[in-house]
Each structure stands twice: as C-alpha cells, then as structure tokens.
Amino acid sequence: MDIIKQIENEQLRIDLPQFKAGDTVKVHTRILEGGKERIQMFQGAVLRVRRGTTNATFTVRKVSDGVGVERIFPLHSPYLERVEVVSEGKVRRSRIYYLRQRKGKAARIKTKNLWD
C-alpha cells in the first residue's frame, strides 16, 4: 500500500496556484490534433473543486454565444499546461451549481476585495 501512495505522490503537480469555487480562471490545455499540438484556453468560473490525490478535478463554466459550457479538468493531468487565476470570487458555498439557472447579470459573481 505504501508503494501505491509513493507512485501517486510522484505524479502530483505542485506548480498550480491555489483556487476555489467562485474564482475566475484561465485554463491552458494542450490539444493534440493529428500530428499537431496546440494550446487552447478556457476561461470561466470555477463551479467546484474535487480534492484528492491523482483523481482531483475541477469544473469550469463559461457562457459562449448564450450557451453555458462546462468542462471538467483533471488537476494533475500532464495535458494541463497552466492555470491562471484572473479574479477571486466572493461566494459562500463550495459548490456553486446555482449559476446554471441564472442568466445575464444574475449570473455574475462579486469579486473579493483584497483589503477586507
């Protein structure tokens, strides 16, 4: 059992910033299409962060052309190039699924003041 934990700890990424639900992030992922490789950016609000060892994930939601799009990213994936925190959100829940029913201005998240 100790060997499994050791192998998992070798695969964990420590270069990613700390973020939580409500934060707006830019996620840069490596996309392989045929023989070509490119970086694709996905910017949106973090709905949830699922903690764990190698199975940790986070869900990001954005609205594109009036349609809500959600993606689940593995936190320790080698295809995850980098994650940038654009702004910190002021929310009181760890999972903000209620944004799915909101539209327009009601779907906005207040930004956290750093001096409070």
Side-chain angles (χ1 to χ4, degrees):
M1 200 65 171
D2 218 19
I3 298 171
I4 294 173
K5 287 184 181 180
Q6 181 182 3
I7 293 171
E8 284 182 349
N9 287 336
E10 291 173 359
Q11 296 177 352
L12 297 181
R13 295 184 60 168
I14 57 172
D15 59 336
L16 299 176
Q18 293 290 324
F19 56 89
K20 58 184 180 14
D23 294 350
T24 302
V25 294
K26 285 184 185 178
V27 182
H28 299 266
T29 55
R30 223 174 319 147
I31 305 293
L32 299 172
E33 293 176 336
K36 296 181 181 178
E37 180 178 322
R38 64 184 175 88
I39 305 279
Q40 185 179 39
M41 188 189 71
F42 192 88
Q43 179 175 349
V46 177
L47 290 187
R48 72 176 278 190
V49 178
R50 181 171 171 253
R51 303 290 179 188
T53 53
T54 54
N55 60 346
T57 60
F58 62 100
T59 305
V60 181
R61 177 183 174 84
K62 74 173 182 176
V63 177
S64 178
D65 293 328
V67 178
V69 179
E70 292 183 12
R71 278 189 70 181
I72 300 173
F73 295 99
L75 192 62
H76 302 291
S77 172
Y79 291 107
L80 198 65
E81 191 68 27
R82 71 178 185 267
V83 178
E84 299 174 19
V85 179
V86 177
S87 65
E88 292 185 9
K90 184 178 180 182
V91 294
R92 297 174 67 175
R93 301 192 176 274
S94 63
R95 309 227 168 127
I96 52 174
Y97 295 140
Y98 60 86
L99 280 184
R100 293 173 178 165
Q101 286 81 33
R102 307 269 173 102
K103 291 182 173 49
K105 284 187 177 181
R108 289 185 300 182
I109 299 173
K110 292 183 180 180
T111 58
K112 185 185 290 186
N113 293 333
L114 298 177
W115 54 85
D116 284 346

